[in-house]
Amino acid sequence: MTKRILVPVDLHQESDRASLLEEAVTYAKAVDGKLILLNVVDIDFDSAMVDRFSDVKSEYANAARKKLQDVAERRVPKELIEDIKVSSGRSYSKVIDTATELSVDLIMMAAHKEGMAEYLLGMTAARVVRHAPCSVMVIRTS
């Protein structure tokens, strides 16, 4: 059975992102899996202020999608990519929602943001681990 692996990628954490994607590629190859790369633009697009600027949401999403595609081209073999997705909202809830919606077998994510190495898990990772509909592999990147 091919494993569907959701990999939430923080585009602002370059060293963590490189380590996470390296681990995800290695694991996907080992289990004959496919990767679904996800970036969550963590801005409250439901706020009334953002609604007044209708292009803001699409501009952020388009920029994130382009950057994630660039990262994928450099770090992930094409044959391992099932999909590249960008979502907006709270990171932990969008990761959980996407995992549920796509019925993934596994979520692979970084343990914490750069500069927070003293913590076992960051808030997003901890919330995903507690509420995910599938197994979660947390990658310590530093």
Side-chain angles (χ1 to χ4, degrees), residues 50-104:
V50 174
D51 286 341
R52 292 183 182 163
F53 302 98
S54 59
D55 294 339
V56 172
K57 185 175 182 177
S58 63
E59 285 179 30
Y60 272 98
N62 289 338
R65 183 174 312 284
K66 182 180 180 338
K67 187 167 183 180
L68 187 55
Q69 286 172 331
D70 290 345
V71 167
E73 286 176 15
R74 287 194 319 271
R75 302 242 178 227
V76 182
K78 282 184 181 183
E79 66 273 10
L80 295 181
I81 297 175
E82 178 178 319
D83 202 358
I84 294 175
K85 295 192 160 293
V86 173
S87 186
S88 62
R90 294 289 171 224
S91 296
Y92 69 91
S93 68
K94 290 301 181 177
V95 170
I96 293 165
D97 291 349
T98 302
T100 302
E101 174 187 319
L102 299 178
S103 299
V104 300

Side-chain angles (χ1 to χ4, degrees), residues 24-33 77 79-80:
V25 165
T26 299
Y27 186 81
K29 286 179 179 178
V31 300
D32 191 28
E79 66 273 10
L80 295 181

Side-chain angles (χ1 to χ4, degrees), residues 7-21:
V7 184
V9 178
D10 185 340
L11 295 173
H12 302 291
Q13 305 298 323
E14 190 169 341
S15 65
D16 285 357
R17 177 180 68 226
S19 297
L20 172 63
L21 290 174

